[in-house]
Amino acid sequence: MHLKLPFLILFSLISTHALGVEYDPGIGEEINEVCAGCHGEFGQGGKEGEYPRLAGMPALFIAQQLELFRDRKRPNLAMIEYIDERQMPAEDILHISHYLAGLKLNTRLPAVDETADDFDAYARLLESKKLMQIPRAEGDIETGEKLYKKECASCHGSDGYGDEKKVVPMLAGQYTDYLWRQVEKLRNRIRIHDVDDPKDELLDAFTDAELADMFAWLSTADD
Ligand code: HEC
Ligand code: HEC
């Protein structure tokens, strides 16, 4: 039981009541200007997964990761100067994590007539940035779907898009290269997969080929 305590404290820290502040989308948007340099204006991520997608992640998951980066419990050299105590107080973590959680990305561009009189090229450009399309990853989709549904869906959601209530991140809609980098970190215990059961490394039981199949299926979720 004692293992759960730090996370209970964490949950209460980012709840609006404990901080005495309400989530303010305006402040969230302002802070996001810093994040956008790497993660994109709409939290869509970039550079083929060097910067992960953040849009639509559970707010509490984003907040937890920011606290882990800040407290040097999850290594992230790229972010450390933006996330030290001084630059990112607890209330800013609240604003930015809710802001990013609320961003929705499309999986396809709506059809428009580019020759129409009212065609707005700039609006179209913005729309295309709000898009998340994961290129098809190599592997056997059918085997991957079965394995995923049996082994991962209970936490990461039947569709792969995560679980807000259980505070589990999405795997569908995330860059495949990013997922592989995290697999390495989870396998090497640089990150902890399940805080309720830190010794149980859920990925140790799977070969790279099996994970590739699961990631192949996940990469088709947005098709
Ligand atoms: C200089 C580039 C840079 C900036 C600016 C930056 N990040 Fe990141 N961020 C990264 C990188 C790189 C990673 C991936 C680290 C890894 O591979 O484990 C990351 C990872 C994350 C993750 C973990 C996502 C996951 O699914 O595991 C979160 C959450 C995050 N960033 C939030 C933010 C927020 C919020 C801001 C703005 C306050 C921000 N980042 C600013 C580079 C950046
Ligand atoms: C018991 C619940 C549970 C199960 C089962 C589970 N996961 Fe996770 N997974 C999590 C949680 C919670 C996190 C976030 C960990 C953290 O806080 O850093 C996570 C994170 C991840 C990440 C990193 C994602 C990111 O954005 O940082 C990957 C990759 C991952 N899981 C893959 C898998 C795969 C593949 C399976 C099935 C073989 C699986 N997980 C099964 C709960 C689970």
Side-chain angles (χ1 to χ4, degrees), residues 17-189:
H17 296 296
L19 284 172
V21 283
E22 291 290 329
Y23 162 55
D24 182 330
I27 302 177
E29 188 173 9
E30 215 171 277
I31 300 171
N32 190 47
E33 284 171 22
V34 174
C35 320
C38 293
H39 293 281
E41 199 179 340
F42 305 104
Q44 73 272 33
K47 285 204 178 170
E48 324 274 89
E50 184 172 331
Y51 307 118
R53 167 183 178 176
L54 302 176
M57 284 277 190
L60 263 174
F61 172 77
I62 297 173
Q64 280 174 2
Q65 299 307 309
L66 291 174
E67 299 194 352
L68 292 171
F69 293 143
R70 184 197 63 198
D71 300 339
R72 312 286 204 272
K73 289 182 181 150
R74 175 176 168 189
N76 188 337
L77 282 179
M79 274 179 61
I80 207 68
E81 64 177 291
Y82 301 96
I83 187 81
D84 65 37
E85 202 78 54
R86 186 176 45 85
Q87 301 210 32
M88 184 110 332
E91 66 246 43
D92 283 6
I93 290 185
L94 178 137
H95 295 307
I96 189 61
S97 50
H98 280 89
Y99 181 76
L100 289 165
L103 293 178
K104 297 267 173 294
L105 300 177
N106 299 319
T107 52
R108 65 190 71 222
L109 271 179
V112 290
D113 178 4
E114 296 193 10
T115 59
D117 287 345
D118 60 353
F119 176 70
D120 182 340
Y122 182 65
R124 190 71 177 161
L125 180 71
L126 285 185
E127 284 274 327
S128 70
K129 285 193 192 173
K130 275 194 217 169
L131 200 65
M132 193 67 202
Q133 251 299 336
I134 300 298
R136 167 83 163 77
E138 251 175 71
D140 187 300
I141 298 175
E142 267 174 45
T143 315
E145 176 175 11
K146 276 191 210 126
L147 256 182
Y148 174 87
K149 295 220 158 124
K150 186 159 167 264
E151 307 287 351
C152 325
S154 61
C155 294
H156 287 280
S158 55
D159 56 0
Y161 280 105
D163 191 315
E164 180 86 41
K165 281 205 197 94
K166 291 189 192 155
V167 197
V168 183
M170 64 189 144
L171 302 178
Q174 188 57 278
Y175 298 88
T176 308
D177 283 357
Y178 184 73
L179 296 177
W180 277 115
R181 283 216 311 282
Q182 302 315 307
V183 166
E184 277 315 298
K185 289 179 192 179
L186 293 164
R187 279 175 169 168
N188 294 319
R189 313 298 195 263

